[in-house]
């Protein structure tokens, strides 16, 4: 048995891969593959509408939010967001919470379109920083936040930070959240967000699709130079069929949505994700060899970076993991150490196999 802990592109549910394989060359008796269908055909339209509807059902998306299927990835949205939201003011200001590598990139990209105010940036990316009201601009076009930092393993939802008194932006402020690596892993309160976006290759499906959810009233704020294919209002008006969408990636995402519905939906996944993450963090915390540097309050349930107290054992650890069928555990190059990404598709058995291997390795070498 192979378990793939890659941060992304990441593992998919085996049932989804099997179904995709079965339907690869002949989608449900129509004689051709999904890849070969016109995006204007009635067959593809079924796939497209079902995927949109199932996504809405899974996250309980309110009626005043539009779901868009786009391309360009998470990084693409770092430019597409300011292009769509900074059209109303001449010298737009964008607030960014820099809580890890990905939001740092978002701040960097926004410089091309707006004046960037860093709301907060902790010295080390091991916490989600407090963001009191006085740190936000009074007239920002939006405040950007990455709710799950995939590299650093820091996770927070704005609704939780607000409940703790650690998020001071007024309710009318527009929050844009990069949820690339934890969308669909837990329920979210849409009233806290103006826009959320996520690349598909972490917790949705395969690379090529980016899902954007935009509140209706934010669709008419684009700059004049926003490319039409990236213009949310244009894409929304055409139900994400303005130009050719990433049809095969949408098909795969649709299969994953069906799989999630069969698993009991997002609330059921959240409960399982909690158990998986707890098992791994408990193993790390109980060990003399492994440690996590993220504040327990902010530890991601999706991406778990951890380190060995003796760096010289890293190569042996990765070899032992591979031997046990546990792949892609090497940490991000900027952090070193290890990282286990345990998205929705990772079964509890995969995490059990990992912690067993970790315990054996510690007994043998430490
Ligand atoms: C992976 C990731 C991105 C970048 O996605 P691309 O599709 O490679 O552009 C952005 N933000 C977060 C949080 C990510 O995990």
């Amino acid at each position: 048995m192979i378990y793939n802990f890659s941060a992304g592109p990441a593992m998919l549910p085996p049932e989804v891969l099997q179904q995709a394989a079965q339907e690869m060359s002949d989608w449900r008796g129509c004689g051709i593959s999904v890849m070969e269908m016109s995006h204007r055909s009635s067959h593809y339209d079924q796939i497209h509408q079902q995927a949109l509807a199932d996504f809405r059902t899974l996250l309980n998306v309110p009626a005043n939010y539009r779901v868009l299927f786009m391309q360009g990835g998470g990084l693409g949205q770092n430019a597409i967001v300011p292009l769509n939201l900074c059209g109303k003011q001449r010298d737009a200001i964008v607030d960014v919470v820099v809580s890890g590598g990905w939001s740092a990139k978002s701040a960097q990209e926004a410089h091309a379109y707006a004046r960037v105010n860093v709301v907060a940036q902790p010295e080390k990316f091991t916490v989600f920083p407090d963001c009191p009201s006085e740190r936000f601009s009074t007239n920002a076009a939006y405040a950007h936040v990455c709710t799950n930092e995939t590299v650093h393993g820091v996770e927070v939802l704005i609704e939780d930070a607000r409940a703790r008194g650690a998020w001071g932006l007024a309710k009318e402020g527009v929050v844009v959240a990069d949820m690339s690596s934890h969308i669909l892993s837990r329920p979210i309160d849409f009233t806290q967000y103006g826009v959320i976006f996520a690349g598909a290759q972490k917790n949705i499906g395969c690379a090529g699709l980016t899902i954007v959810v935009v509140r209706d009233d934010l669709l008419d704020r684009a700059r004049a130079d926003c490319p039409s294919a990236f213009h949310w209002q244009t894409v929304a008006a055409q139900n994400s069929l303005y130009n050719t969408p990433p049809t095969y990636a949408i098909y795969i995402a649709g299969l994953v949505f069906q799989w999630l519905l069969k698993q009991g939906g997002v609330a059921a996944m959240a409960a399982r994700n909690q158990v998986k993450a707890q098992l791994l963090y408990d193993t790390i915390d109980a060990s003399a060899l492994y440690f996590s540097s993220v504040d327990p309050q902010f530890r991601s349930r999706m991406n778990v970076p951890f380190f060995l107290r003796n760096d010289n054992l890293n190569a042996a650890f990765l070899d032992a993991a591979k031997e046990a069928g546990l792949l892609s555990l090497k940490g991000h190059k900027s952090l070193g150490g290890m990282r286990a990404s345990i998205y929705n598709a990772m079964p509890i058995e995969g995490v059990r196999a990992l912690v067993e291997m970790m315990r054996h390795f510690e007994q043998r070498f430490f």
Side-chain angles (χ1 to χ4, degrees):
M1 192 66 196
I2 295 289
Y3 292 110
N4 172 14
F5 292 89
S6 170
M11 106 170 252
L12 285 165
E15 297 92 325
V16 165
L17 292 178
Q18 275 151 22
Q19 188 175 345
Q22 267 168 21
E23 299 178 337
M24 168 66 85
S25 53
D26 179 3
W27 185 76
R28 302 183 196 174
C30 79
I32 59 173
S33 139
V34 174
M35 276 178 267
E36 305 167 297
M37 282 176 195
S38 163
H39 59 298
R40 310 284 177 203
S41 66
S42 63
H43 287 311
Y44 177 73
D45 202 55
Q46 257 174 277
I47 293 169
H48 192 85
Q49 305 304 343
Q50 191 68 49
L52 281 167
D54 287 345
F55 180 84
R56 293 196 85 97
T57 302
L58 281 165
L59 278 179
N60 206 4
V61 179
N64 62 324
Y65 286 74
R66 304 299 301 263
V67 177
L68 311 181
F69 288 164
M70 300 185 72
Q71 304 194 47
L75 280 195
Q77 289 300 320
N78 283 346
I80 294 168
V81 168
L83 280 163
N84 276 279
L85 291 181
C86 293
K88 285 263 153 113
Q89 292 149 301
R90 266 192 92 240
D91 298 300
I93 302 173
V94 166
D95 284 340
V96 183
V97 180
V98 177
S99 56
W102 288 113
S103 48
K105 284 195 179 184
S106 304
Q108 191 55 38
E109 190 93 23
H111 277 295
Y113 308 97
R115 198 144 60 76
V116 174
N117 168 50
V118 174
V119 174
Q121 174 165 3
E123 218 168 288
K124 283 189 186 161
F125 293 139
T126 54
V127 294
F128 187 83
D130 275 1
C131 302
S133 56
E134 64 270 19
R135 300 300 303 269
F136 291 93
S137 312
T138 47
N139 53 349
Y142 63 92
H144 176 99
V145 63
C146 177
T147 46
N148 188 63
E149 287 282 0
T150 320
V151 173
H152 292 88
V154 171
E155 180 174 19
V156 78
L157 286 179
I158 295 309
E159 46 270 44
D160 297 339
R162 202 188 284 280
R164 273 202 323 276
W167 183 259
L169 184 65
K171 265 278 194 172
E172 312 80 69
V174 176
V175 175
V176 174
D178 177 356
M179 297 196 174
S180 289
S181 50
H182 73 160
I183 193 164
L184 294 170
S185 73
R186 59 196 298 180
I188 50 172
D189 172 6
F190 274 91
T191 65
Q192 305 285 337
Y193 306 94
V195 179
I196 69 166
F197 66 83
Q201 72 272 24
K202 276 54 181 273
N203 208 21
I204 297 175
C206 62
L209 167 66
T210 313
I211 299 187
V212 186
V213 185
V214 188
R215 209 174 59 212
D216 279 339
D217 62 295
L218 301 174
L219 288 170
D220 68 344
R221 301 189 181 186
R223 287 161 49 120
D225 59 354
C226 179
S228 61
F230 296 146
H231 186 217
W232 293 336
Q233 190 170 47
T234 302
V235 176
Q238 304 288 323
N239 204 19
S240 302
L241 289 161
Y242 169 68
N243 67 332
T244 315
T247 52
Y248 199 77
I250 291 167
Y251 159 71
I252 295 289
L255 295 184
V256 172
F257 298 157
Q258 288 281 320
W259 178 82
L260 285 170
L261 288 166
K262 272 196 214 115
Q263 305 299 304
V266 168
M269 293 318 295
R272 275 191 232 172
N273 288 328
Q274 180 63 37
V275 171
K276 280 153 50 186
Q278 192 71 44
L279 174 58
L280 183 47
Y281 284 116
D282 283 350
T283 304
I284 292 167
D285 289 342
S287 137
L289 173 60
Y290 312 106
F291 68 97
S292 153
S293 39
V294 179
D295 183 326
Q297 197 181 349
F298 303 111
R299 285 177 175 178
S300 168
R301 296 145 321 120
M302 295 281 100
N303 309 98
V304 182
F306 64 93
F307 302 89
L308 278 62
R309 291 191 195 276
N310 178 356
D311 265 343
N312 297 326
L313 291 175
N314 283 351
F317 180 88
L318 289 168
D319 283 347
K322 201 168 163 195
E323 191 71 21
L326 311 171
L327 307 184
S328 302
L329 284 160
K330 191 173 179 176
H332 189 269
K333 58 186 185 297
S334 67
L335 274 191
M338 307 298 153
R339 173 175 51 172
S341 294
I342 49 176
Y343 299 120
N344 283 342
M346 177 62 67
I348 182 80
E349 291 78 14
V351 181
R352 283 205 195 102
L354 172 61
V355 299
E356 228 168 87
M357 174 266 152
M358 288 169 69
R359 289 191 193 117
H360 282 152
F361 184 85
E362 181 168 354
Q363 281 162 10
R364 243 172 79 206
F365 289 99
F366 196 65

